[in-house]
Amino acid sequence: MSTAWKSRYALRTKDLKSSTIRELLKITQKPEIISFAGGLPAPDVFPLDRFQEACRRVLELNGHQALQYGATEGYEPLREMIARHIARYGIKAKADNVLITCGSQQALDLIGKLFINAGDRVLVEAPTYLGALQAFDVYGAEYVSVHTDHDGLRTDLLEERLRSGPKFMYVLPNFQNPGGTTLSEGRRHQLVLLADKYGIPIIEDDPYGQLRYEGEHLPPLVVIDRENLRRDEGYSIGNVIYLSTFSKTLAPGLRLGWIVAPPDVIAKLVQLKQGADLHTSTFTQVVAYEVAKDNFLDEHVKLIRKVYRERRDVMLESLKKYFPPEVTWTHPQGGLFLWVTLPEGMDCNKLFQTALNENVAFVPGDCFYARNGFDNEGCRHMRLNFSYGQPEQIREGIRRLSVAIKMQLRSPHVNH
Ligand SMILES: Cc1ncc(COP(=O)(O)O)c(C=O)c1O
């Protein structure tokens, strides 16, 4: 008799859904479809030669260490490099404050594991990163959602929500996924002050911070917290845990991210990571270090910024040229995405089918809202990625999408 696996699944798996984006990506991989759905970096900017050379050097000079088990905290030279790298953004961390993870996605999972008891509330932006919701859902998180606008999280709405006692806030200050919006400097200060006033810590997720195409760099929340509230107390305390990744600056296939946190939090996360995977791949870490060193990463990021800025501009121009005037969109200063708002009454999930018939795809907005977090609002939105396609594909894809939108607008089922 075969085992009834289903009846043995743990309770925490009861409400799990597979990611809409992953399902969509399967459909949109047909070659005739122009897809704005994935969050993929452009493969043409992966520094293949540098990786090839780094792999050769690592195996020749450091092969025995690179192929061996390693410390759970991560490869020491890489942790030190990250600490030096982020110091330029004012984040004065030591290697001891850095834990290397298998992408930022693992960081989110470990944070969920460390902090969330079933039923705990997590304060999130509406909309927010779908992968964070997936990571936190497993631990039984409930959500308190706060609206965003063109300047990011609406801090004017925050105080009331903080009174409901969330365990922590999960915030994306730079070129948010999915909104493409950036939290203004004034709001950053307000957010940090309110977090301190109510004693609610912040998880600052910053995969895109280096990919700025216009405007001034804004201070990370972790820096504002430290400089304004924790003078002279070093990095042993602080109200903000900071996450970032090499996925958007080197290559997502590396699966390398990192957490910056006070040492006692790092020690706890290390215990949890040991149970998860012992450590992140030593080989990958040593290769990433070889690739990134001697300022290569900085030079490479300049190239990425140039390529993505052009693609963003092509998408913005094409939207202006083809989309009907009732449709609006965000103007991201960096990152990979922009966020489109359709007229009231339009449903992105219906539009998705029409768009597929026109051989173009996007992600319907509703999957970026937490349960009980303005569920129906998402239906009027879609997320478009501009980093992956070549400029010509972006132009043609937006033209096709405009055809689908105009058809939908003419449909008698749309009431507006
Ligand atoms: C906001 C945000 N956080 C985390 C991640 C996970 O990144 P990775 O696991 O590739 O480092 C992503 C990926 O797109 C993201 O957009």
Side-chain angles (χ1 to χ4, degrees):
M1 200 176 92
S2 70
T3 316
W5 290 112
K6 226 172 166 174
S7 65
R8 286 157 204 271
Y9 292 159
L11 278 180
R12 62 179 164 274
T13 67
K14 190 165 61 72
D15 295 327
L16 297 187
K17 294 178 288 189
S18 65
S19 150
T20 314
I21 296 186
R22 298 231 155 266
E23 295 302 310
L24 287 182
L25 282 175
K26 282 185 210 155
I27 311 173
T28 58
Q29 267 161 7
K30 292 185 197 154
E32 64 274 22
I33 290 186
I34 296 178
S35 177
F36 299 125
L40 306 185
D44 32 321
V45 296
F46 293 158
L48 290 184
D49 291 347
R50 179 93 180 174
F51 268 99
Q52 208 162 27
E53 176 59 16
C55 286
R56 194 189 59 72
R57 286 235 310 263
V58 164
L59 289 174
E60 213 169 271
L61 304 174
N62 196 9
H64 291 114
Q65 186 185 7
L67 295 176
Q68 190 53 279
Y69 283 117
T72 305
E73 288 83 348
Y75 180 52
E76 192 65 21
L78 185 67
R79 296 169 79 205
E80 282 164 7
M81 178 190 278
I82 289 169
R84 283 196 302 276
H85 182 72
I86 59 180
R88 277 188 283 134
Y89 299 98
I91 306 175
K92 293 184 187 122
K94 299 200 176 77
D96 287 352
N97 299 112
V98 178
L99 169 63
I100 308 284
T101 54
C102 183
S104 280
Q105 193 60 36
Q106 185 184 44
L108 293 169
D109 178 60
L110 294 176
I111 282 164
K113 215 177 234 177
L114 181 58
F115 293 115
I116 301 173
N117 291 317
D120 278 351
R121 280 182 294 263
V122 177
L123 188 145
V124 293
E125 294 161 288
T128 188
Y129 172 52
L130 169 67
L133 297 175
Q134 275 191 298
F136 301 155
D137 279 352
V138 183
Y139 300 105
E142 301 291 333
Y143 297 98
V144 183
S145 293
V146 180
H147 273 121
T148 55
D149 63 16
H150 283 262
D151 279 334
L153 181 78
R154 293 265 313 267
T155 42
D156 56 319
L157 305 175
L158 199 55
E159 196 148 12
E160 184 215 326
R161 305 291 156 85
L162 288 175
R163 287 200 197 101
S164 72
K167 199 77 175 269
F168 60 82
M169 300 186 245
Y170 170 70
V171 186
L172 301 133
N174 291 319
F175 331 123
Q176 202 238 29
N177 177 6
T181 51
T182 295
L183 190 64
S184 68
E185 189 159 4
R187 287 190 185 178
R188 287 176 192 232
H189 282 272
Q190 234 178 332
L191 173 58
V192 166
L193 283 176
L194 285 171
D196 187 60
K197 177 173 169 189
Y198 286 90
I200 313 286
I202 299 171
I203 308 298
E204 175 175 23
D205 191 3
D206 188 25
Y208 306 108
Q210 286 188 73
L211 305 183
R212 178 177 271 284
Y213 318 132
E214 64 180 51
E216 291 290 303
H217 170 76
L218 296 177
L221 302 175
V222 67
V223 172
I224 296 177
D225 175 70
R226 193 170 174 282
E227 287 184 352
N228 291 275
L229 301 172
R230 337 243 159 240
R231 253 171 237 283
D232 303 326
E233 293 190 73
Y235 211 97
S236 56
I237 61 158
N239 214 17
V240 184
I241 292 176
Y242 177 88
L243 317 180
S244 195
T245 176
F246 285 125
S247 286
K248 309 295 159 42
T249 53
L250 278 181
L254 286 171
R255 308 308 304 127
L256 280 182
W258 61 89
I259 305 178
V260 181
D264 51 338
V265 178
I266 294 287
K268 224 50 201 161
L269 289 165
V270 163
Q271 289 172 351
L272 295 171
K273 186 169 161 65
Q274 268 162 11
D277 62 2
L278 299 183
H279 61 80
T280 300
S281 153
T282 324
F283 182 68
T284 308
Q285 293 183 73
V286 180
V287 168
Y289 174 78
E290 274 301 310
V291 169
K293 74 180 192 187
D294 300 335
N295 276 342
F296 175 82
L297 185 59
D298 288 342
E299 289 306 310
H300 185 59
V301 165
K302 285 183 198 157
L303 168 73
I304 299 178
R305 282 198 208 114
K306 183 170 167 293
V307 172
Y308 291 3
R309 182 192 296 122
E310 184 195 350
R311 293 181 187 194
R312 178 204 62 167
D313 290 346
V314 167
M315 185 171 272
L316 288 171
E317 279 160 26
S318 309
L319 289 167
K320 207 163 151 199
K321 179 168 174 193
Y322 292 115
F323 271 26
E326 304 93 307
V327 181
T328 60
W329 51 87
T330 54
H331 180 112
Q333 296 176 346
L336 268 58
F337 306 106
L338 60 77
W339 185 242
V340 175
T341 304
L342 296 162
E344 198 131 359
M346 265 188 93
D347 181 347
C348 273
N349 290 296
K350 285 190 193 142
L351 179 65
F352 182 73
Q353 288 308 322
T354 318
L356 275 190
N357 296 338
E358 296 297 320
N359 285 331
V360 61
F362 59 85
V363 188
D366 46 2
C367 56
F368 300 103
Y369 288 78
R371 279 189 313 270
N372 310 322
F374 323 118
D375 297 347
N376 295 327
E377 252 173 60
C379 298
R380 280 184 60 201
H381 299 281
M382 55 182 166
R383 189 192 75 176
L384 301 181
N385 164 270
F386 54 78
S387 58
Y388 183 69
Q390 298 288 339
E392 259 327 296
Q393 288 173 312
I394 295 176
R395 274 190 204 99
E396 173 58 14
I398 295 296
R399 190 196 63 75
R400 291 181 194 176
L401 196 49
S402 75
V403 172
I405 292 175
K406 286 172 192 162
M407 270 163 58
Q408 194 83 17
L409 274 171
R410 284 198 298 272
S411 145
H413 305 297
V414 180
N415 42 17
H416 54 96

